[in-house]
Amino acid sequence: MSHDHSPTSQPYGPATPVIRRFLVRLAALGGTERETVITRYAAESVTRGWHYAETALGEVIERSGRGGAQEAVAGPLLQLVRRPGASTAPPASDAEALDTLEPLAEPALAALLALVVQDLLEPKDFATLYTPLADIIPLASLTS
């Protein structure tokens, strides 16, 4: 069986190699690292800068045509941040869906989506969205 390495085998768009490395490193995070990310996210996500960056991220994803990549990152991320013992049955509500996920889900999703469009996002907006994970999963470790 041959493996197709054409552009169509890049489910996350041009950032596929970086996103794959990010997911591997995210899966390997220990409890202390996870708590650090969650604490940083709680502080950052209520700032005006975060709100602006999140809004810009949504606009850039929509304009970029990378909605498929956005959807593609959801599956692997959900596998990594589902609470142990959480049901895999479809949730009855959004609240129930959130209850099945660890608090790490939100900062990890923000970082992943920023990585999907990093080449199109303003550097300050990317940095803001990646801040909770910046020294836990350094960007340089994903591109080397």
Side-chain angles (χ1 to χ4, degrees), residues 57-70:
L57 176 65
E59 292 170 357
V60 168
I61 288 174
E62 189 174 312
R63 283 195 320 263
S64 72
R66 295 184 190 166
Q70 174 185 1

Side-chain angles (χ1 to χ4, degrees), residues 17-19 21-26 29 33 37 40 111 115 118 126 130-144:
V18 167
I19 289 172
R21 288 184 202 110
F22 177 88
L23 290 168
V24 167
R25 287 176 174 83
L26 184 69
L29 293 184
E33 293 167 315
V37 170
R40 287 181 186 155
L115 286 167
Q118 181 183 4
F126 176 83
Y130 202 80
T131 291
L133 285 137
D135 67 335
I136 304 288
I137 304 176
L139 193 56
S141 73
L142 302 177
T143 57
S144 55

Side-chain angles (χ1 to χ4, degrees), residues 6-131:
S6 67
T8 58
S9 70
Q10 301 220 7
Y12 314 123
T16 294
V18 167
I19 289 172
R20 286 183 173 146
R21 288 184 202 110
F22 177 88
L23 290 168
V24 167
R25 287 176 174 83
L26 184 69
L29 293 184
T32 301
E33 293 167 315
R34 286 171 174 254
E35 286 303 317
T36 298
V37 170
I38 292 163
T39 301
R40 287 181 186 155
Y41 173 74
E44 289 292 324
S45 65
V46 295
T47 65
R48 184 175 299 184
W50 184 275
H51 174 72
Y52 289 140
E54 204 171 43
T55 301
L57 176 65
E59 292 170 357
V60 168
I61 288 174
E62 189 174 312
R63 283 195 320 263
S64 72
R66 295 184 190 166
Q70 174 185 1
E71 292 173 20
V73 299
L77 177 61
L78 288 175
Q79 290 176 357
L80 295 175
V81 296
R82 185 172 280 126
R83 290 184 192 273
S87 171
T88 56
S93 66
D94 288 346
E96 187 178 307
L98 289 175
D99 286 345
T100 67
L101 302 177
E102 295 179 27
L104 183 64
E106 290 184 69
L109 180 61
L112 271 170
L113 294 178
L115 286 167
V116 166
V117 292
Q118 181 183 4
D119 58 327
L120 305 172
L121 200 58
E122 289 291 330
K124 69 176 175 49
D125 292 332
F126 176 83
T128 297
L129 296 167
Y130 202 80
T131 291

